[in-house]
Amino acid sequence: MIVKRDKLTFWERLYLPAIINGLKVTARHFFKKKVTMQYPEEKWVVPEGYRGAPYLVKDQDGRTKCVSCQLCEFVCPPRAIRIVPPGPEGSPEVGNVEKAPKEFEIDMLRCIFCGYCQEVCPEEAIFLMKDYSLTGTTRKELIYDKEKLLALGGVHNDKIRKWETKAHEAEEQGVKP
């Protein structure tokens, strides 16, 4: 099918109307209030429900709440989380906690901030930050190990205090923790 096109007029061939319309748009925006944010000095307000980078928390006794169940590692779509469990003997320094991870790493370059790790964690050991500025000069700096993740998270005040309850139950049954 052949489509017949109308011939352009002299003014249309000059593109002068298009240039004038472009200048009108530019002039209209030139006098409006600026919306540019000066980033390091000004930061935008994080909306409710924002999913940032994950971090780990400790309980009131200073122990890692993570019990190496590895659910977050299995559910992570980009495979950004790597957990090494302590083995069958566990760690003597964590008290009566089932098992704390020997190693826990999150590759923030791979992480897509989906929040699946927080949703699947049965111990409420992993949460998402409200901060959106993750910076580093090398790739290695953006692989967060257990110590760095715990430093970001701090202490999470848990009302249930599951491990104290377990210790009392064990004492009542005559089992040493």
Side-chain angles (χ1 to χ4, degrees):
M1 171 185 260
I2 297 175
V3 177
K4 299 254 182 194
R5 301 190 187 265
D6 296 333
K7 291 212 173 222
L8 297 174
T9 64
F10 175 72
W11 288 106
E12 289 172 339
R13 279 187 275 150
L14 285 179
Y15 298 108
L16 198 57
I19 292 172
I20 292 171
N21 285 337
L23 288 173
K24 284 182 193 176
V25 171
T26 302
R28 196 171 49 233
H29 287 285
F30 188 75
F31 296 107
K32 282 188 176 177
K33 183 179 182 271
K34 308 294 186 264
V35 293
T36 304
M37 186 178 295
Q38 302 300 321
Y39 169 63
E41 294 84 22
E42 300 175 16
K43 291 189 177 186
W44 57 279
V45 178
V46 180
E48 187 63 35
Y50 175 79
R51 295 186 310 238
Y55 62 87
L56 290 175
V57 295
K58 296 179 181 179
D59 63 5
Q60 293 92 329
D61 300 325
R63 298 180 299 215
T64 306
K65 289 187 74 169
C66 178
V67 293
S68 299
C69 67
Q70 296 178 310
L71 287 174
C72 57
E73 183 178 11
F74 295 133
V75 79
C76 184
R79 303 285 183 227
I81 300 175
R82 188 178 70 84
I83 300 173
V84 177
E89 69 279 350
S91 302
E93 69 273 0
V94 294
N96 61 330
V97 177
E98 291 171 358
K99 50 183 184 168
K102 187 185 294 184
E103 293 179 32
F104 192 109
E105 286 183 354
I106 299 179
D107 188 348
M108 293 301 176
L109 295 171
R110 284 182 142 192
C111 183
I112 58 174
F113 311 132
C114 62
Y116 289 169
C117 53
Q118 179 184 10
E119 290 177 21
V120 77
C121 185
E123 298 295 322
E124 294 184 354
I126 192 163
F127 290 93
L128 301 177
M129 286 193 275
K130 296 290 185 198
D131 189 18
Y132 52 85
S133 59
L134 297 174
T135 58
T137 56
T138 64
R139 290 181 175 266
K140 198 168 192 168
E141 286 179 19
L142 291 170
I143 298 176
Y144 289 8
D145 61 348
K146 183 170 80 170
E147 287 74 32
K148 189 168 185 178
L149 290 166
L150 287 169
L152 288 171
V155 176
H156 179 70
N157 292 320
D158 189 10
K159 298 173 190 158
I160 299 172
R161 299 183 67 94
K162 174 181 175 180
W163 301 115
E164 276 187 17
T165 308
K166 295 267 186 195
H168 291 304
E169 288 173 2
E171 286 174 5
E172 289 173 3
Q173 294 176 359
V175 179
K176 272 191 165 181

